[in-house]
Amino acid sequence: MRKYVPKDDVQKKAYYTDRFWVAPQVAKSPVETDAVFAADLEAIKAKCEVLDAYIQVDQLVVLINPNDNFTVAQILKEECGYNQLSECSAIDWLAKQKQFEVFYQFLSMSKRKRMRVKCFIDKEQAVESLNPLYRSADWAEREMYDMFGVKVNNHPYMKRILMPDDWVGHPLLKTYPLQGDEAASWYEVDRIYGKEARDIIGPENRESAVVDRYDTERFGRLGHEVARGSEFDENQPVTPLAYQEEGGVFIVKKFQEDGAVTITDRKR
Amino acid sequence: MAQHQVNYTQDGGLPVALTSVDKVINWGRSNSLWAMTYGLACCGIEMMASGASRYDFDRFGTIFRASPRQSDLMIVAGTLTKKHAEFIKRLYDQMAEPRWVISMGSCANTGGMFNTYATVQGVDRIIPVDLYLPGCAPRPETLQYAVMMLQKKIRAEKAGRAQRPKRLV
């Protein structure tokens, strides 16, 4: 078994680097190439500052200041006809630029157009809730808080949605270890049996391929009947696995394989 | 005075069977294992298939119950998440003794492919397990085989004395 290492400070350093080939971005085209999107962009520009705007994969992408997100969503819903907020979440760019990217994906049923509004926020910065405009923002923003720790102002029920309420940390942060930190690895033991039971139950076994045939506490030996916790050597007799005792059980006869007929000819 | 000589220690054509109390009780217990409906993930589909007419668990006396108070057997069929861990413990505690647990599939055995922060790495960290059933997901035949192995285990137990409490802590 791998030696148990405490994971207390594992979240303090970012393990994530781009280890693999990073795909080049899809080509961006200017907003003027699409008349519908150009009109939408003008409507936003009339009230808010737009930092960047382009069309990518037939979708308008608008980069705004994080303080304007509610105003922009209001314009999009009431003036531009984007009546659905299909997705809203965040991306962790903390290692690269110390910021989260928060994005909102909108869909207009009448115009058959999709667009995305993006903004960058600092680590402790909160965004305004879109829940008064779009009901779908309710759970999406709770998930954003749960997974990234991005707080949302004026949300009716700002609480974790997927992880338990007493969970420590936010799992989709790139600094969060895949196999969990110290609190996560003991979560169910602490929760059910209390911290005193940690020594009895022991740390998690994360080595998926570990097999120790002489460890009779945790492993059975195939083809042998080994009592739990007992010791055995190689001379142990083979006891074939059987679902029934030799003599059969009360009322039920044991199936005799020798007397059975195997049908090979289907038309028999 | 009997008209015919009857040897009561042998099967003399009369419907009389002599046995021990242990065997009768264990025969009853092993042949009416009422399982709790506890499908947590894709193994639950195989468990449902085992219960349905093609594989037919009813002929083993295994009938799925929707309440832990009526169940003898808990088949943990699927991935146990850490959020759900306290509820499996609560349901196990609500089952009346004697009670047995089959850990069905890789996820329940060891966490399986979900080597992640949110998955319990083996249901035996929470509740004691009688039988581990490998597979991802095990076929209904495998689950039937597991139930038959469990029946064999029950038949070998002593019925008279109180069951040893099977607790982790």
Side-chain angles (χ1 to χ4, degrees), chain B residues 49-69:
Chain B
S50 317
S53 54
R54 186 179 182 93
Y55 295 95
D56 198 7
F57 250 160
D58 292 8
R59 63 204 163 104
F60 298 97
T62 299
I63 297 164
F64 286 106
R65 307 300 298 180
S67 160
R69 315 254 182 215

Side-chain angles (χ1 to χ4, degrees), chain A residues 141-189:
Chain A
E141 281 166 348
R142 278 176 67 186
E143 187 185 346
M144 183 165 79
Y145 165 68
D146 191 359
M147 291 289 132
F148 294 96
V150 176
K151 290 230 171 70
V152 179
N153 287 336
N154 297 325
H155 190 281
Y157 196 55
M158 196 73 256
K159 199 183 150 190
R160 283 181 185 273
I161 189 169
L162 296 173
M163 305 311 292
D165 292 343
D166 53 351
W167 192 261
V168 179
H170 300 279
L172 275 192
L173 292 176
K174 286 193 177 17
T175 46
Y176 194 90
L178 173 65
Q179 300 186 347
D181 56 5
E182 185 75 9
S185 68
W186 293 108
Y187 176 80
E188 78 275 23
V189 175

Side-chain angles (χ1 to χ4, degrees), chain A residues 161-164 167 171 178-180 184-185 187-189 191-193 202-204 206 242-243 245 249, chain B residues 17 27 82-83 85-86 89 114-121 125-127 145 148-149 152 155 168-169:
Chain A
I161 189 169
L162 296 173
M163 305 311 292
W167 192 261
L178 173 65
Q179 300 186 347
S185 68
Y187 176 80
E188 78 275 23
V189 175
R191 174 101 183 149
I192 298 171
Y193 296 106
E204 290 176 327
R206 291 285 183 176
Y243 60 86
E245 295 82 349
V249 198
Chain B
W27 172 76
K82 297 206 175 192
K83 192 178 183 180
E86 59 178 303
K89 173 72 174 132
F114 298 104
N115 197 356
T116 64
Y117 59 91
T119 309
V120 176
Q121 301 295 303
R125 289 176 66 76
I126 310 296
I127 53 174
Y145 191 75
M148 288 158 88
M149 292 292 277
K152 190 185 170 194
R155 284 196 294 265
L168 284 177
V169 180

Side-chain angles (χ1 to χ4, degrees), chain B residues 79-155:
Chain B
T79 320
L80 179 66
T81 58
K82 297 206 175 192
K83 192 178 183 180
H84 191 77
E86 59 178 303
F87 304 117
I88 200 174
K89 173 72 174 132
R90 188 188 298 173
L91 289 166
Y92 179 77
D93 288 344
Q94 283 173 350
M95 285 163 65
E97 287 185 355
R99 56 196 169 187
W100 296 275
V101 176
I102 290 179
S103 161
M104 179 184 179
S106 300
C107 292
N109 291 342
T110 64
M113 61 189 276
F114 298 104
N115 197 356
T116 64
Y117 59 91
T119 309
V120 176
Q121 301 295 303
V123 71
D124 53 2
R125 289 176 66 76
I126 310 296
I127 53 174
V129 174
D130 290 281
L131 208 132
Y132 298 87
L133 174 58
C136 183
R139 294 223 9 126
E141 293 95 329
T142 326
L143 182 58
Q144 286 182 340
Y145 191 75
V147 168
M148 288 158 88
M149 292 292 277
L150 182 67
Q151 287 180 336
K152 190 185 170 194
K153 186 189 170 182
I154 293 169
R155 284 196 294 265

